[in-house]
Amino acid sequence: MNDSEFQQKSFDQQADSYEKLYGDQSEFETEIVEKRKQLILGSPSVKTALDIGCGTGTFLGFISKKAKKVFAVDASEKMVQKAKERTKKEKLPNVEIMQAYAEKLPFKTGQFETIYCINTFYHIKEKEKTIAEIARALKKGGTAYIEFYNILNPFVFLRLLANPFEKNMPHVYPDTAGGIKKMLEKNQLQVQRIAVLSHVETSQAVKRWLPGFLFHFLLWYRNFSDRFTIFRLPKMRCIFVAKKTE
């Protein structure tokens, strides 16, 4: 089983509980979900947009407000089904969802004005292929929003350590901001800014295996460092906002 197949199987198995564990119903993801939502709602209004790794459709309702036509893809068939059910319930007729891989998008060159890759990119091993595909599918002057894990933040190791303890947990592949910036620039994607989502990892993925007292310490430290920024560690979960120049 290759990595893409493993990730697909992992997300298939999490589809029924994903929203409660990691989506907009998760008590530990509330702050980050809200920051992602505000970033999407603050993006330009366009004719066409793409959501890569849409999952159960957490952000499609917000993206549908920013684009006349929205396409969404996910590697997991079960996630796609959940997303379709959600968009039907939320009455989003301008959203079309299909199963596809980020490394091989089934769209024309220059088809989209905006591409979102939220809470997805760090689950993809072939990052250079994915960025090349994003750049190909993005129109000149279009904007890409790509979320990543910063490997220079020590709390990222907590998330990496979760992999062996969770047989069905999707793997994560963090990188440095500098490394991803080079990949973006190589594909004519000029970084406009980096939006910081978090400095500390307090996701359900960590909570499920970390001893309770240590997890509560992380929650305390997150709140403490938010108040006293001098004690903050390097940014951890971030979103690159990049514009296609050619």
Side-chain angles (χ1 to χ4, degrees):
M1 183 184 296
N2 63 34
D3 186 76
S4 293
E5 290 170 338
F6 174 83
Q7 298 291 67
Q8 181 179 350
K9 181 182 176 183
S10 299
F11 280 112
D12 277 346
Q13 292 172 333
Q14 289 190 357
D16 290 332
S17 58
Y18 184 84
E19 289 181 10
K20 187 175 180 181
L21 293 176
Y22 310 109
D24 51 358
Q25 296 176 17
S26 170
E27 61 179 306
F28 302 108
E29 299 282 341
T30 303
E31 183 180 345
I32 287 176
V33 167
E34 181 62 25
K35 287 181 179 179
R36 291 171 179 147
K37 169 188 165 183
Q38 293 305 322
L39 190 68
I40 291 167
L41 292 176
S43 63
S45 295
V46 296
K47 290 182 180 179
T48 56
L50 171 64
D51 183 11
I52 297 175
C54 65
T56 56
T58 302
F59 300 104
L60 289 176
F62 307 116
I63 296 173
S64 70
K65 295 178 181 179
K66 306 303 298 185
K68 290 183 179 179
K69 179 65 179 179
V70 178
F71 287 88
V73 299
D74 200 281
S76 164
E77 287 279 11
K78 288 190 177 180
M79 288 287 193
V80 166
Q81 185 57 44
K82 289 288 183 181
K84 286 181 177 179
E85 291 170 5
R86 181 165 181 159
T87 53
K88 184 177 180 180
K89 184 179 179 180
E90 295 182 3
K91 298 179 180 179
L92 306 175
N94 63 330
V95 177
E96 185 175 334
I97 308 165
M98 63 190 75
Q99 191 275 336
Y101 293 100
E103 303 94 319
K104 193 175 181 180
L105 297 170
F107 303 109
K108 296 177 182 178
T109 297
Q111 185 169 339
F112 300 101
E113 295 164 90
T114 305
I115 295 179
Y116 304 93
C117 190
I118 306 296
N119 198 20
T120 298
F121 188 65
Y122 41 73
H123 289 302
I124 299 170
K125 192 172 186 178
E126 294 185 285
K127 288 182 168 52
E128 291 197 41
K129 266 190 181 180
T130 300
I131 288 177
E133 274 292 88
I134 289 173
R136 181 191 65 77
L138 194 62
K139 285 184 177 180
K140 181 179 178 180
T143 306
Y145 296 80
I146 302 173
E147 184 175 339
F148 77 103
Y149 266 168
N150 178 18
I151 200 169
L152 298 180
N153 182 298
F155 285 105
V156 169
F157 288 101
L158 291 177
R159 180 62 182 86
L160 290 173
L161 287 171
N163 287 339
F165 291 88
E166 294 285 355
K167 188 179 294 184
N168 299 319
M169 178 71 68
H171 292 162
V172 293
Y173 301 100
D175 209 316
T176 63
I180 294 176
K181 185 180 178 183
K182 285 182 180 177
M183 294 183 214
L184 292 170
E185 291 177 344
K186 181 181 176 182
N187 288 278
Q188 291 77 50
L189 292 168
Q190 187 66 40
V191 176
Q192 305 295 297
R193 63 189 178 101
I194 300 177
V196 179
L197 299 179
S198 68
H199 296 267
V200 182
E201 176 60 274
T202 56
S203 71
Q204 187 74 19
V206 172
K207 181 181 184 295
R208 290 175 68 176
W209 66 272
L210 197 67
F213 73 96
L214 286 178
F215 184 77
H216 282 94
F217 170 76
L218 292 184
L219 292 175
W220 172 84
Y221 177 76
R222 183 189 67 184
N223 295 332
F224 175 79
S225 61
D226 282 345
R227 290 181 61 193
F228 303 99
T229 56
I230 192 173
F231 295 102
R232 274 185 180 172
L233 291 167
K235 53 186 174 285
M236 182 186 158
R237 288 204 218 188
C238 313
I239 295 179
F240 269 111
V241 181
K243 188 174 289 289
K244 188 174 180 181
T245 56
E246 293 182 16

